[in-house]
Amino acid sequence: QLQLQESGPGLVKPSETLSLTCTVSGGSITSPGSFWGWVRQPPGKRLEWIGSVHYSGDLHYNPSLTSRITISRDTSNNEYSLRLTSVTAADTAVYYCARDKGQWLVDSWGQGTLVTVSS
Amino acid sequence: DILMTQTPLSLSVTPGQSASISCKSSESLLHSNGRTYLYWYLQKPGQSPQLLIYEVTSRFSGVPDRFSGSGSGTDFTLKISRVEAEDVGFYYCMQGLRMPGTFGQGTKVEVK
């Protein structure tokens, strides 16, 4: 059974960098056909797709965030990571890692982790 | 970005009754390959979203047949027949036609 688990700091200071890792078990991030991505949900707002890394290594970013985000992967540990630079209070959200089967069809989600941006 | 708009924003339903949620997209979700990339998710209290419906009408594995999707182009509907207490939560539509995938604002369903 596929499981995704987010990890990282729950509190980040304004202007600093948010870093999260998603550890995948029960499946490989290099298995053909899948994208491994991030979705966030600010309090009281709709879900927002952030970006993903294809099993081939190709990267896809939300154009509204592309100047600030980097997604990378560690295939030896079957995990992938998100870095979001120059954070503000608007980046406060629950961050989910998620498997995307293509065309942004997310069929498996992590439990989510709340990241608060505050001094 | 494609804008997804859901109505109503909240719904209170008696167990055993049916409920419908509408989702409209700012442009047609019909791909040139003939597929329509409209999905429905349910986020139960304290949980991550879970996939209910993909490509308008196809139920995801394990989803009860009380959930059904319909629509085409820019207008879509999720119907829950015979609502049960476990169906409470926020329902979201999402488009997967064009980057970035975008979600509706969510519909809160309560069971009386």
Side-chain angles (χ1 to χ4, degrees):
Chain A
Q1 180 184 351
L2 184 69
Q3 292 189 320
L4 298 87
Q5 178 68 58
E6 306 89 351
S7 59
L11 181 64
V12 182
K13 290 183 168 56
S15 80
E16 296 191 346
T17 296
L18 178 159
S19 295
L20 295 173
T21 295
C22 181
T23 302
V24 178
S25 57
S28 171
I29 65 172
T30 58
S31 293
S34 293
F35 297 76
W36 301 90
W38 295 93
V39 177
R40 70 179 181 178
Q41 187 171 32
K45 295 191 175 182
R46 66 183 73 195
L47 294 151
E48 179 182 31
W49 180 80
I50 298 171
S52 62
V53 53
H54 193 229
Y55 77 95
S56 65
D58 288 347
L59 299 168
H60 303 266
Y61 295 157
N62 188 322
S64 69
L65 296 168
T66 194
S67 63
R68 296 197 293 131
I69 62 173
T70 303
I71 294 176
S72 59
R73 64 177 186 169
D74 178 352
T75 57
S76 61
N77 288 312
N78 210 38
E79 59 187 32
Y80 61 102
S81 298
L82 169 70
R83 281 171 48 89
L84 178 65
T85 61
S86 306
V87 298
T88 70
D91 296 308
T92 293
V94 176
Y95 286 76
Y96 296 97
C97 57
R99 182 179 72 176
D100 167 1
K101 295 298 288 179
Q103 299 295 147
W104 297 278
L105 178 59
V106 176
D107 69 341
S108 195
W109 300 72
Q111 66 182 28
T113 186
L114 174 63
V115 179
T116 301
V117 178
S118 175
S119 55
Chain B
D1 296 0
I2 295 177
L3 180 63
M4 306 297 290
T5 303
Q6 291 180 228
T7 54
L9 297 184
S10 66
L11 204 50
S12 184
V13 189
T14 301
Q17 298 298 306
S18 65
S20 291
I21 301 169
S22 172
C23 175
K24 295 185 187 298
S25 56
S26 60
E27 62 183 86
S28 174
L29 301 185
L30 176 63
H31 193 279
S32 57
N33 65 10
R35 293 179 166 180
T36 300
Y37 293 106
L38 184 283
Y39 319 129
W40 289 98
Y41 292 90
L42 165 60
Q43 187 171 28
K44 295 183 178 182
Q47 296 185 18
S48 307
Q50 58 189 79
L51 178 62
L52 294 176
I53 302 282
Y54 62 97
E55 294 183 28
V56 184
T57 61
S58 297
R59 272 187 302 276
F60 187 55
S61 175
V63 175
D65 60 8
R66 302 183 290 102
F67 293 90
S68 61
S70 63
S72 64
T74 61
D75 293 333
F76 304 95
T77 301
L78 175 71
K79 183 177 180 181
I80 314 168
S81 304
R82 308 180 304 281
V83 168
E84 299 184 2
E86 66 179 23
D87 299 335
V88 298
F90 281 88
Y91 290 77
Y92 297 94
C93 61
M94 181 195 181
Q95 68 82 18
L97 176 69
R98 203 181 315 289
M99 177 185 284
T102 47
F103 293 85
Q105 68 271 57
T107 295
K108 183 178 182 180
V109 172
E110 297 178 321
V111 178
K112 296 176 183 174

